[in-house]
Amino acid sequence: MWSRATQHTLTQAELLAALAKAELLQLKWRSLNAFVTECWDQACKDVEILTSKSSVCSENNPLYGMPLAVKDNFCTQGVKTACASKMLDSFVPPYTCTVVDRLQNRGMIVVGKTSMDSFAMGSGGMDGTNLPTKNPWTWAAPQYQGKFSKESDADFRIPGGSSGGSAVAVAADIVYGALGSDTGGSVRIPAAYCGVVGLKPTTGLLSRHGLIPLVNSLDCPGIITKTVEQCTSMLNAVAGHDPLDSTTYHSRPFKPVQLHHQDSISGLKIGIPQEYLTPDTSQEVIKVWQEVADKLESAGASVERISLSHLQYSIACYSVLNYCEVASNMARFDGIEYGHRAATDESTEALYAQTRHEAFNDVVRGRIFAGNYFLLKSNYEKFYLQAAKLRRLIYQDFEKAFSTVDVLLTPVALGVAPLHSSFSRLENRAQCAQQDVFTQPSNLAGVPAISVPIKLSQHNLPISLQLITNRFNEQTLLNTALFLESMCDFPNLSHYVQCDP
């Protein structure tokens, strides 16, 4: 729906008409719970402002006037940013984060904030104050005969988390693109489950200014779109050094990615990490992985098996570092300066305790407890320091791999999107360990990775694969993803599911 074939300057009437179509789609899909806050009236005003500006031109600008969804942990001036939590339920930021600001400067229109797991701690789109988010591909299964019903109470497929709302908004064609945050796979997993493209760029390439932190050393703003070309357009608009974020690289000026449509990928060296072949990986995923590797080899690439020897310890390493930084970051929410405050005046300590008990869910409190345990003086070297050392070894494994290959090809998830009923029976720690197993190593190493939809399973659910390259090599990553996308020709959701008017 949001492809830009025309090169003429879009009029205000055309942009408002497109926005009206997007709002209608959201109305039809509302029971998917993709959005927690909608801004359609403000979006119309922003279109009027945009078309009055001479500094922003629509010609050769694919982002001009395109609707944008923003995960609810990115600060947006004047629009509530609650992180799907009671703690920040009334928080309205006085400023806009850098990545949203840059997209707005290129002409994109924010239409709403998307649902997520509370403080981005979850992998199913069901651990926040908002209603559980539903995967629209649920209704592509044969038993539904392609008919989506708002009143359906049947079990549904999860969209993945914690950026589930953003992925659903893109999959349902409500928006051109969406922003999510990726700490251990929170952009790539929802993208894989919802059959869209999800990019986690090199750590430090995109500014984190205005992104409410979960794990500072792992957090990365990510991009979700329908196509690789759209993803590249958004990346080129937001990447680069930000004076407001000292963790962005300024010694390497960003060069916009140039996409090249190729008939072959002769000379490209692709690595297949043997550690990604686990007993828990579904046979459907393994089969697709093998088929794609064979097709890429037939297209001119050289494919070889490689080893990332410390990857077997990565999920434990990731969990320890995650919990430790969560404990540190969550300390700022005490009910004194901002956020929820409990109605108790017994003592300052009682106020802290009651506020955090009321405003944090069990998942958040559990990670705080675990992180503080790992950071105890008696445990610091045994847990945190060991995890930090292991992270360095994992980083070195990737460096060694990229000295012999250009790209790694791996699964994104163990299987297709699970049913809500089966997923919700698992404890959060087990959920994340299952969902993040193939994605969190990229965050530990700081390398870019992208999820690309490949084909549908026997139940008409998306199966995606992940491409990983060395740091700052988004040029190779996105061009390889473009070739893979054109080779697989993944179908649109609208071919399988019709939404009731």
Side-chain angles (χ1 to χ4, degrees), residues 241-285:
H241 174 63
D242 177 17
L244 298 174
D245 179 4
S246 62
T247 65
T248 53
Y249 284 89
H250 61 275
S251 57
R252 300 181 62 133
F254 173 71
K255 295 181 180 178
V257 173
Q258 301 291 328
L259 292 180
H260 306 289
H261 293 271
Q262 306 169 83
D263 295 326
S264 76
I265 47 173
S266 179
L268 188 72
K269 297 177 181 178
I270 298 176
I272 307 293
Q274 61 187 26
E275 288 78 10
Y276 279 78
L277 184 60
T278 70
D280 296 326
T281 309
S282 75
Q283 287 304 307
E284 272 193 303
V285 169

Side-chain angles (χ1 to χ4, degrees), residues 36-39 70-95 110 112-114 116 129-130 212:
V36 292
T37 303
E38 298 179 44
C39 314
V70 180
K71 187 177 178 179
D72 200 31
N73 59 347
F74 287 89
C75 289
T76 43
Q77 185 177 10
V79 180
K80 187 173 80 167
T81 302
C83 285
S85 72
K86 185 176 179 180
M87 179 62 79
L88 293 177
D89 190 53
S90 60
F91 176 57
V92 178
Y95 68 97
V110 175
K113 307 296 288 291
T114 56
M116 57 182 284
T129 54
N130 42 281
I212 297 173

Side-chain angles (χ1 to χ4, degrees), residues 26 30 49 57 89 126 137 144 156 178 183 223 233 256 266 272 291 324 335 356 359 373 381-382 434 444 471 494:
Q26 163 56 9
R30 179 159 287 160
I49 294 171
C57 180
D89 190 53
M126 47 187 267
W137 280 97
Y144 295 105
F156 58 88
T183 305
I223 297 167
S233 296
S266 179
I272 307 293
E291 287 174 353
C324 290
R356 290 161 72 82
Y373 174 78
E381 291 190 11
K382 185 165 54 175
Q434 285 186 6
L444 291 170
R471 296 190 312 149
S494 61

Side-chain angles (χ1 to χ4, degrees), residues 405-483:
V405 299
D406 303 310
V407 183
L408 302 182
L409 177 68
T410 78
V412 185
L414 293 169
V416 297
L419 286 166
H420 177 264
S421 58
S422 60
F423 188 78
S424 59
R425 284 196 291 266
L426 297 173
E427 184 262 337
N428 178 268
R429 188 160 52 92
Q431 292 172 352
C432 294
Q434 285 186 6
Q435 300 301 309
D436 298 344
V437 64
F438 295 144
T439 51
Q440 42 75 30
S442 302
N443 297 80
L444 291 170
V447 296
I450 189 170
S451 170
V452 181
I454 304 299
K455 66 183 296 184
L456 296 180
S457 72
Q458 60 180 341
H459 297 298
N460 288 344
L461 293 169
I463 296 176
S464 298
L465 292 180
Q466 177 177 225
L467 297 170
I468 308 170
T469 58
N470 206 354
R471 296 190 312 149
F472 302 106
N473 198 6
E474 275 77 6
Q475 177 74 29
T476 298
L477 180 71
L478 288 162
N479 273 285
T480 307
L482 181 67
F483 183 86

